[in-house]
Amino acid sequence: MQLETQKVYYTPEEYLELEEKAEYKSEYRDGEIVPMTGGTTNHNKIAGNFYAYLKFGLRGNNYDVYIGDVRLWIPRYRQHTYPDVMVIKGQPIYTGTSTTTVMNPMLIAEVLSKSTKNYDQGDKFLYYRSIPEFKEYILIDQYQYHVMQYVKTAESQWSFTELEDESATLSLQTVDFQIELRDLYEQVNFAENNED
């Protein structure tokens, strides 16, 4: 005999209420609450390096740079997520009355893990593309020197660039910023990657 488990459906409002009290972050996927996996030290170093260099490189310009704790709401697909790094030009557009959830990043970067890389490259990229301001997507492998860059060139058209050498330079197209992969991966020890 097979036991049936009842699937619980949450509204975005219920999710936000639960998330405010939760000890750990979760994403919201059209009614389902999905706990986020813990990040490795290498994941943290890469996201931190990209954020720090980018924040410093864009100082004095009209951009806000955010790291992992700022939530993103994607209304078309009813998704709440926490991108690793986001860049917003001008003022953030918030959903609701709080300043915890934004809606208008122009650039998003995700550090890939074995458990999330297919989602980050597939459905999540689809969801991100529904954001009108979104024009550049950076996917950073934490297990080797490997960066994938997608840049919106026209409506429904994206160009793809792949970098795989530590001396290669990632040149962002939506903001004036370049970073060598050796700086992006500063202090990352690939031998420490034992994540599932």
Side-chain angles (χ1 to χ4, degrees):
M1 185 172 139
Q2 204 173 13
L3 291 175
E4 284 189 34
T5 57
Q6 186 176 7
K7 188 170 182 178
V8 180
Y9 177 87
Y10 296 92
T11 66
E13 295 75 23
E14 289 170 329
Y15 158 77
L16 290 172
E17 192 175 309
L18 290 168
E19 192 72 355
E20 288 300 318
K21 301 170 190 164
E23 291 183 33
Y24 304 101
K25 292 189 293 188
S26 296
E27 294 187 336
Y28 177 81
R29 299 183 188 166
D30 193 19
E32 185 181 358
I33 295 177
V34 180
M36 294 180 67
T37 58
T40 64
T41 53
N42 282 344
H43 182 287
N44 188 270
K45 287 175 187 176
I46 294 166
N49 288 343
F50 190 63
Y51 169 81
Y53 279 101
L54 189 56
K55 179 83 173 161
F56 186 76
L58 296 179
R59 74 190 184 288
N61 293 295
N62 193 21
Y63 298 104
D64 283 333
V65 184
Y66 299 102
I67 195 163
D69 288 332
V70 175
R71 192 170 37 239
L72 172 64
W73 170 239
I74 307 167
R76 178 173 171 187
Y77 292 99
R78 296 172 45 84
Q79 303 282 319
H80 277 289
T81 186
Y82 291 89
D84 289 323
V85 178
M86 289 188 286
V87 176
I88 292 178
K89 183 176 183 176
Q91 294 298 312
I93 297 172
Y94 297 107
T95 181
T97 56
S98 73
T99 58
T100 58
T101 308
V102 299
M103 298 174 58
N104 61 321
M106 60 182 292
L107 180 144
I108 296 173
E110 296 282 12
V111 179
L112 302 178
S113 65
K114 290 176 184 172
S115 61
T116 65
K117 69 179 180 179
N118 290 338
Y119 176 59
D120 288 344
Q121 293 177 76
D123 286 346
K124 199 180 232 185
F125 187 27
L126 170 71
Y127 305 150
Y128 287 164
R129 291 195 309 265
S130 72
I131 300 167
E133 296 84 358
F134 180 59
K135 293 180 175 42
E136 189 160 9
Y137 193 35
I138 307 298
L139 295 165
I140 307 165
D141 191 323
Q142 67 173 297
Y143 308 105
Q144 61 185 335
Y145 290 106
H146 184 214
V147 174
M148 293 175 280
Q149 176 185 32
Y150 294 89
V151 179
K152 188 172 185 177
T153 56
E155 194 60 38
S156 301
Q157 293 184 6
W158 292 76
S159 69
F160 173 69
T161 303
E162 192 168 28
L163 305 168
E164 297 182 285
D165 187 273
E166 70 175 299
S167 64
T169 299
L170 171 62
S171 297
L172 299 184
Q173 301 300 302
T174 54
V175 294
D176 183 16
F177 176 79
Q178 297 83 35
I179 184 170
E180 285 190 11
L181 265 58
R182 66 171 52 96
D183 292 327
L184 181 59
Y185 286 90
E186 183 181 349
Q187 293 189 325
V188 170
N189 181 349
F190 295 124
E192 288 180 359
N193 282 311
N194 293 322
E195 182 201 21
D196 294 331

